[in-house]
């Protein structure tokens, strides 16, 4: 299990490659579920030019650790990686990377989804968006569940 | 005998303080910490609270040297 906050931009796919090299799961791992959240240039009908991600140092890491440990108790996992940005963020930057490895896809898929949803609701981060003429705090996250097309 | 108090995000901006300390009084609850730290301003609805970096409800008692944090709904990820 590895959890890190990053104040500088990171490349999620390079991070995954490096993390995989450090692990020795070959043969045991049958599934990897990966979520990468990136910064959009729009939100709630406004163009967004940048963002500042505030966090609560100490509590953020503690909450992320608890979220990952809870997932490891609920599902059979081999490894969990969570990277999350803090500070100034540019459009297109990766904000969060979650990678869950397991022997079977069910555990990997479900745990990855659960970790993201728990992170969204409990990890103490706050987004402040820079719009064209002003700034605003994001007061709630978008739903993690898509509306199906009819 | 003191309690450290921290505020985050738009709450920090609206109050104009990021951290302070208040005198610890035997039996004080999180809501009492809020009143002491903000000079009894009305607590915004939906505010989240943590004691020593764990989520807690407003009616629980705090202890000397605790760190109490107040913040709005989170929005990471």
């Amino acid at each position: 299990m590895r959890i890190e906050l990053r104040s500088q931009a990171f490349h999620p796919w390079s991070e995954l490659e490096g993390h995989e090299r450090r692990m020795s799961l070959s043969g045991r791992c049958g599934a990897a579920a990966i979520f990468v959240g990136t910064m959009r240039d729009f939100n709630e009908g406004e163009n967004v030019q940048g963002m500042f991600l505030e966090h609560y140092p100490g509590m953020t890491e503690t909450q992320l650790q608890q979220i990952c440990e809870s997932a490891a108790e609920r599902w059979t996992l081999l490894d969990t990686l969570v990277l999350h940005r803090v500070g100034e963020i540019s459009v297109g930057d990766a904000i969060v990377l979650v990678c869950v490895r397991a022997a079977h896809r069910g555990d990997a898929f479900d745990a990855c989804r659960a970790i993201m949803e728990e992170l969204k609701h409990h990890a103490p981060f706050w987004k402040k968006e820079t719009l064209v003429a002003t700034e605003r705090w994001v007061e709630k996250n978008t739903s993690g569940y898509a509306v199906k097309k009819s | 005998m003191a309690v450290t108090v921290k505020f985050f995000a738009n709450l920090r901006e609206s109050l104009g303080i990021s951290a302070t300390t208040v005198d610890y009084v035997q039996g004080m609850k999180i809501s009492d910490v809020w009143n002491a730290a903000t000079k009894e301003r009305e607590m915004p609805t939906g505010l989240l609270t943590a004691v020593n970096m764990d989520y807690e409800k407003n009616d629980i008692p705090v202890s000397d040297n605790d760190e109490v944090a107040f913040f709005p709904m989170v929005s990471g990820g």
Side-chain angles (χ1 to χ4, degrees):
Chain A
M1 186 182 298
R2 184 171 145 224
I3 296 162
E4 290 182 17
L5 301 182
R6 298 285 184 86
S7 57
Q8 302 294 324
F10 66 84
H11 190 278
W13 314 116
S14 301
E15 295 286 346
L16 285 169
E17 191 178 6
H19 185 70
E20 185 165 354
R21 272 201 302 270
R22 287 192 290 274
M23 304 297 293
S24 53
L25 299 176
S26 182
R28 291 189 293 141
C29 178
I34 296 157
F35 177 85
V36 178
T38 56
M39 188 189 153
R40 297 188 305 268
D41 65 0
F42 66 95
N43 191 28
E44 296 186 351
E46 299 273 2
N47 293 326
V48 182
Q49 299 184 327
M51 186 164 70
F52 184 81
L53 242 174
E54 182 172 332
H55 76 294
Y56 182 175
M59 182 169 175
T60 307
E61 295 90 330
T62 301
Q63 287 295 314
L64 291 175
Q65 184 78 25
Q66 289 176 3
I67 289 166
C68 292
E69 287 174 357
S70 175
E73 288 174 6
R74 190 169 170 195
W75 291 280
T76 303
L77 308 179
L78 292 169
D79 180 56
T80 303
L81 170 68
V82 176
L83 303 184
H84 203 295
R85 279 292 309 280
V86 295
E88 296 289 348
I89 296 177
S90 300
V91 170
D93 279 0
I95 299 173
V96 60
L97 163 65
V98 177
C99 177
V100 177
R101 294 173 195 277
H104 303 288
R105 70 182 185 282
D107 291 308
F109 270 134
D110 290 357
C112 186
R113 181 58 175 265
I115 288 169
M116 264 315 299
E117 295 307 317
E118 287 294 305
L119 182 157
K120 285 276 191 182
H121 290 99
H122 298 295
F125 295 101
W126 302 273
K127 291 172 180 159
K128 189 175 192 181
E129 296 174 334
T130 302
L131 309 180
V132 174
T134 187
E135 295 178 321
R136 69 178 177 193
W137 290 95
V138 175
E139 295 186 354
K140 62 178 181 180
N141 279 313
T142 52
S143 170
Y145 294 87
V147 177
K148 288 181 182 173
K149 291 181 179 178
S150 55
Chain B
M1 302 273 279
V3 174
T4 300
V5 190
K6 293 185 174 180
F7 304 97
F8 291 92
N10 56 352
L11 181 67
R12 170 177 51 74
E13 288 186 342
S14 64
L15 292 173
I17 45 174
S18 57
T20 187
T21 57
V22 299
D23 291 336
Y24 172 71
V25 179
Q26 184 79 28
M28 77 190 307
K29 297 178 180 177
I30 292 178
S31 52
D32 300 317
V33 173
W34 168 270
N35 287 333
T38 66
K39 298 184 172 60
E40 307 212 355
R41 284 178 64 152
E42 186 175 352
M43 188 183 289
T45 55
L47 204 63
L48 300 175
T49 52
V51 177
N52 300 328
M53 301 186 182
D54 273 325
Y55 285 100
E56 296 288 0
K57 292 180 178 171
N58 283 342
D59 55 358
I60 73 147
V62 298
S63 301
D64 185 26
N65 291 320
D66 274 353
E67 177 174 297
V68 178
F70 298 93
F71 45 83
M73 294 290 285
V74 302
S75 56

